[in-house]
Amino acid sequence: MLKIENLHVKLEEEDKVILKGVDLTVEAGKVHAIMGPNGSGKSTLSYVLAGRDGYEVTEGSAQLDGVELLDMDPEERAAAGLFLAFQYPVEIPGVGNMTFLRTAVNAQRKARGEEEMSAGEFLKVIREKAKALKIDADMMKRPVNVGFSGGEKKRNEILQMAMLEPRMCILDETDSGLDVDAMKLVSEGVNALRDAGRAFLVITHYQRLLDHIKPDVVHIMADGRIVKTGGPELALEVERNGYAGILSEVA
Amino acid sequence: MALAQRKSDALTARIAGLDLQVGDWSEAARKDALSRLAAMGLPDRRDEYWRYTDPAALTAPAAPAAAPSDADDGALVFDSIDRLRLVFVDGVFDAAASDDPALAGVEISRLAEGGALHWARDLYGTLETRAQTPVARPLATLNTAFARDGVLIRVTERAVRPVALIYRQGSKGSDAILHHCVKVEAGSELTVLESGTAAARVNCVLEVDIAEGGRFHHIRMQGRDHDRHALTHVFARLAAESLFKSFTLTANGRLTRNEAVIEILGDDAVAHVAGAALGDGDFHQDDTVFVTHGAERGESRQVFKKVLRNGATGVFQGKILVKQGAQKTDGYQISQSLLLDEDSQFLAKPELEIYADDVKCSHGSTSGAIDETALFYLRSRGLPEKAAQSLLVLAFLAEALAEIEDEALAEDIRARLENWLTRQEASAATMDGDAPEARG
Ligand SMILES: Nc1ncnc2c1ncn2[C@@H]1O[C@H](COP(=O)(O)OP(=O)(O)OP(=O)(O)O)[C@@H](O)[C@H]1O
Ligand SMILES: [Mg+2]
């Protein structure tokens, strides 16, 4: 589903190279996890895939079902089925959560030539999904992420994902800031979306999340590259011994 | 003196073609205005108060030409609101196009019919005169002297419908001078709506005198016509426990200067002035506001938001003056601009002058670009760039729009704004989308 080849990325404004040849393939129906030390380039990879400004791709490609993502605008990538749950969800004062999400759902549907969701239907669906994530109606009326606690912001990201039903979901440290119960809720939300036509790329520092969302493949990223790929046991090794062993072994 | 000579020459040229109406009830006020005007001369760029806005087009002998907009296209402003419509074409009242001015608790007369109205005689030019210190406003004085038409409204109850002043432009070079007076008697309430382009150039004065416990709301839509020039003054005087709220949406127009001079004379009065401006291209919009607190426990708010692009200019000059003895005053002032490109500019001069020791006053002014992080977040959820931008623009304007108390009116204006922004999304290539419809 997602195929990243030899991706090199530098900052647009300065001569700083962040991704130095990332190779990664995620098949439909699978959950891949990426772990790696702080500053190794995990969030940068997710931003570049989502289409954020400020980065320059100097080499390589990233395709979603054979279509080059890197040529598209962020909204086109979203309509094509890519979703990024942000490590730091953005607060947008003055824009209501509900308005925003309905506009987003319908913009994507329109871009795909599908029929728009009626206000009534939208309300019904979102109520149900918000309830499952224990997001109360009051929060939905507030401006996007404004005054939300760290955990509420993360749950809101998952709600957006549930509403938008993307095919390729990238979760950047969605577990950070979540309490134990919220982690379960979020994981259940993610697991409910798992199916043969959908894939997940889960960026995390902790095994805890992977206890709930069982990965098929685990990648270790270091200094802008995927340096090691393995099964779920790789995450357990990181949990026990940190990165030192793995990094010296591949160096 | 060269300066004085230049100013009085400009005045002579400007009023050469104007007739001083004599022989009716307003004669004394007009003559008084003319003599005050002769002493002031006309303003020019060298005046401190006109530093950011060149008044040349407003003081020129003839109105710069502006094509009237096509009267048949688009929805009409405030059309969904049940209102009493008074129509002016090129600044002259059009009785045939207007509703029968019958509204319970509201007496409406044309400016020329003020002879029997003691209150009108007392009010006409009075607040304008009071507003001449500490800053001279000669163009308002010119208006008092030469106003051609207007309405006189006295409110004695709570009006069930707003009075809508609907302006239409009939000809290309029309030059309108309108002067309205509103007397809000104790405990009564009225909403006045203004919309449309009065003329190629308009000089409009609104004097509002609010007695104890009276409430006055003013909602104004200035838009649509790219080339028109407008200068407006709202003068308000507030007695104890009265309320004054004014909101203006300006979208397009080559030059617009909206002045508001508000004097709180009674305790516990509330005065809010707000404005939202959307400027695109050859657009210069100026809000100049002066609020004086002369009594205790007064509350005032000035909320101005401007969205500017393609070289548009926004100006804000706002002052809060708290006089000695005006204890427990609560004054707030905010002016902000959202600059959508680097060619546009916002010039702000916020001022506080306080002579009482127990007051709460704050002011702030900011100027910034669109929040790129927010924009990306919205786009990453599938919103096209222009739609995401519109959403952020509306969010930016929200604090000013929140000043409109009436929900139906607020909704009408919000819908119009959204409509305008959507149309701009559609015509993004030219960046010259239509402004919201602002005729009657
Ligand atoms: N816009 C930027 N300006 C300057 N440096 C940047 C920018 N974006 C990323 N970097 C740098 O690139 C490197 C990779 O950052 P990135 O956020 O991708 O790391 P990460 O793997 O997500 O780390 P963490 O685990 O702490 O979230 C860091 O050294 C970071 O400081
Ligand atoms: Mg990160």
Side-chain angles (χ1 to χ4, degrees):
Chain A
M1 171 161 293
L2 179 67
K3 189 167 189 190
I4 304 168
E5 283 179 313
N6 194 30
L7 188 63
H8 287 70
V9 171
K10 68 179 273 290
L11 293 178
E12 221 162 47
E13 300 280 291
E14 40 184 300
D15 273 333
K16 181 168 172 161
V17 179
I18 302 175
L19 300 184
K20 302 171 179 172
V22 174
D23 288 290
L24 183 67
T25 301
V26 183
E27 309 80 13
K30 301 288 187 207
V31 174
H32 284 222
I34 299 185
M35 304 181 85
N38 293 130
S40 54
K42 304 181 297 296
S43 292
T44 302
L45 175 65
S46 71
Y47 285 144
V48 169
L49 292 174
R52 188 177 186 149
D53 278 345
Y55 304 102
E56 188 186 326
V57 176
T58 52
E59 236 186 296
S61 72
Q63 296 183 340
L64 185 66
D65 289 332
V67 182
E68 184 57 60
L69 277 175
L70 302 178
D71 298 336
M72 299 186 201
D73 283 335
E75 56 269 30
E76 293 170 335
R77 302 180 196 203
L82 186 84
F83 179 90
L84 168 63
F86 283 53
Q87 179 171 3
Y88 304 107
V90 180
E91 296 187 8
I92 311 184
V95 176
N97 221 0
M98 207 74 140
T99 312
F100 155 61
L101 204 43
R102 199 173 79 230
T103 313
V105 167
N106 284 332
Q108 289 201 15
R109 289 184 167 220
K110 200 172 151 199
R112 290 195 292 260
E114 297 165 13
E115 205 175 312
E116 294 190 12
M117 215 175 195
S118 74
E121 191 188 349
F122 176 83
L123 213 61
K124 193 173 140 254
V125 177
I126 197 165
R127 277 208 188 114
E128 201 177 288
K129 303 202 170 184
K131 200 174 156 210
L133 286 160
K134 293 213 164 67
I135 292 174
D136 61 45
D138 210 44
M139 240 169 87
M140 295 311 300
K141 285 188 205 128
R142 300 212 313 249
V144 179
N145 292 325
V146 176
F148 287 25
S149 73
E152 286 170 343
K153 285 180 183 167
K154 296 301 179 78
R155 272 185 278 157
N156 198 30
E157 293 290 285
I158 300 306
L159 176 64
Q160 291 172 23
M161 186 171 85
M163 289 304 295
L164 294 167
E165 301 184 321
R167 289 179 305 134
M168 181 66 232
C169 309
I170 304 172
L171 310 182
D172 190 359
E173 293 197 32
T174 300
D175 52 336
S176 67
L178 290 182
D179 65 39
V180 182
D181 297 328
M183 170 110 61
K184 267 190 80 178
L185 283 176
V186 162
S187 307
E188 281 163 15
V190 171
N191 289 331
L193 283 171
R194 285 181 77 157
D195 75 39
R198 185 172 283 130
F200 291 85
L201 189 57
V202 180
I203 298 170
T204 182
H205 286 295
Y206 304 107
Q207 170 61 33
R208 236 174 12 160
L209 179 72
L210 304 179
D211 286 340
H212 297 291
I213 307 172
K214 299 249 169 3
D216 299 294
V217 180
V218 175
H219 307 273
I220 307 296
M221 186 164 208
D223 194 24
R225 281 187 202 90
I226 301 293
V227 294
K228 189 163 185 180
T229 295
E233 71 288 348
L234 197 51
L236 291 167
E237 188 188 332
V238 169
E239 181 86 346
R240 272 194 307 272
N241 307 323
Y243 293 108
I246 297 172
L247 296 187
S248 63
E249 166 195 325
V250 299
Chain B
M1 274 164 62
L3 186 104
Q5 191 58 47
R6 204 182 62 238
K7 288 188 161 224
S8 82
D9 288 350
L11 177 61
T12 307
R14 171 68 184 100
I15 65 179
L18 297 173
D19 286 328
L20 189 75
Q21 252 170 276
V22 289
D24 79 353
W25 66 278
S26 60
E27 180 176 337
R30 289 175 186 273
K31 284 186 165 163
D32 174 67
L34 186 58
S35 73
R36 285 186 289 122
L37 182 59
M40 287 187 269
L42 289 183
D44 58 41
R45 199 71 198 260
R46 276 170 258 196
D47 290 303
E48 179 64 21
Y49 218 45
W50 291 89
R51 224 174 102 190
Y52 302 125
T53 297
D54 188 347
L58 300 171
T59 58
S69 69
D70 174 4
D72 286 330
D73 100 292
L76 304 175
V77 173
F78 304 134
D79 223 23
S80 59
I81 309 291
D82 180 22
R83 68 223 199 275
L84 189 141
R85 294 173 305 156
L86 302 175
V87 177
F88 294 80
V89 179
D90 284 337
V92 178
F93 182 62
D94 183 342
S98 303
D99 292 336
D100 175 21
L103 186 57
V106 183
E107 296 156 17
I108 300 171
S109 323
R110 202 170 163 179
L111 184 60
E113 299 161 350
L117 309 173
H118 289 291
W119 71 266
R121 206 180 291 250
D122 289 344
L123 183 54
Y124 185 83
T126 300
L127 302 188
E128 174 264 301
T129 306
R130 290 180 69 93
Q132 295 300 332
T133 45
V135 192
R137 302 167 202 276
L139 287 166
T141 311
L142 182 141
N143 182 302
T144 300
F146 295 103
R148 260 188 86 192
D149 216 334
V151 283
L152 303 169
I153 304 175
R154 180 167 168 263
V155 199
T156 55
E157 288 171 29
R158 193 165 185 279
V160 292
R161 292 196 282 163
V163 171
L165 307 178
I166 295 166
Y167 304 125
R168 289 189 185 137
Q169 185 187 346
S171 67
K172 202 174 168 187
S174 57
D175 196 15
I177 304 180
L178 281 160
H179 197 121
H180 311 298
C181 293
V182 180
K183 173 87 181 160
V184 181
E185 298 290 2
S188 66
E189 181 165 10
L190 178 71
T191 297
V192 166
L193 310 176
E194 286 186 277
S195 62
T197 301
R201 178 173 71 179
V202 64
N203 177 333
C204 184
V205 164
L206 170 63
E207 292 183 282
V208 187
D209 196 13
I210 314 174
E212 275 186 27
R215 298 165 71 84
F216 179 77
H217 307 267
H218 175 230
I219 312 281
R220 177 166 57 182
M221 291 277 294
Q222 299 172 317
R224 187 85 187 147
D225 298 276
H226 297 261
D227 293 331
R228 58 127 189 96
H229 291 73
L231 171 69
T232 73
H233 287 86
V234 177
F235 299 108
R237 176 164 67 181
L238 281 75
E241 292 176 20
S242 66
L243 175 141
F244 169 89
K245 277 192 168 186
S246 175
F247 171 87
T248 301
L249 173 67
T250 310
N252 274 318
R254 182 141 306 174
L255 175 69
T256 309
R257 168 136 155 167
N258 295 321
E259 295 198 25
V261 185
I262 296 154
E263 207 182 351
I264 295 179
L265 288 181
D267 295 339
D268 302 292
V270 173
H272 293 194
V273 209
L278 298 161
D280 191 347
D282 192 355
F283 168 100
H284 183 108
Q285 194 267 358
D286 174 337
D287 285 297
T288 291
V289 181
F290 199 116
V291 176
T292 303
H293 284 267
E296 291 190 19
R297 294 180 302 278
E299 181 207 300
S300 72
R301 281 172 71 83
Q302 301 173 33
V303 182
F304 290 88
K305 303 269 186 157
K306 302 175 200 290
V307 182
L308 306 167
R309 68 165 151 200
N310 288 325
T313 299
V315 174
F316 174 75
Q317 303 189 95
K319 181 154 181 171
I320 306 175
L321 169 64
V322 181
K323 289 190 167 174
Q324 210 172 352
Q327 301 296 12
K328 307 277 183 207
T329 285
D330 182 352
Y332 174 75
Q333 180 196 89
I334 183 95
S335 64
Q336 294 181 307
S337 76
L338 181 60
L339 304 177
L340 297 182
D341 54 45
E342 281 165 11
D343 303 329
S344 303
Q345 60 170 345
F346 176 54
L347 305 163
K349 191 178 174 191
E351 287 182 284
L352 280 178
E353 199 176 321
I354 302 175
Y355 297 103
D357 52 20
D358 184 15
V359 302
K360 191 174 96 190
C361 279
S362 65
H363 67 169
S365 182
T366 65
S367 196
I370 203 127
D371 180 346
E372 289 296 336
T373 310
L375 193 66
F376 171 64
Y377 189 69
L378 295 174
R379 294 178 73 190
S380 78
R381 298 305 182 240
L383 271 74
E385 185 175 9
K386 291 287 158 192
Q389 190 167 311
S390 299
L391 216 52
L392 294 176
V393 165
L394 282 174
F396 170 77
L397 296 174
E399 188 185 0
L401 293 171
E403 288 294 328
I404 306 168
E405 219 173 82
D406 184 275
E407 225 2 89
L409 285 168
E411 204 34 65
D412 189 275
I413 288 192
R414 211 171 292 128
R416 212 154 292 283
L417 260 173
E418 279 174 28
N419 189 348
W420 182 65
L421 291 166
T422 316
R423 274 200 271 167
Q424 252 188 357
E425 285 164 32
S427 65
T430 62
M431 300 297 271
D432 193 35
D434 283 332
E437 187 58 53
R439 288 175 294 101

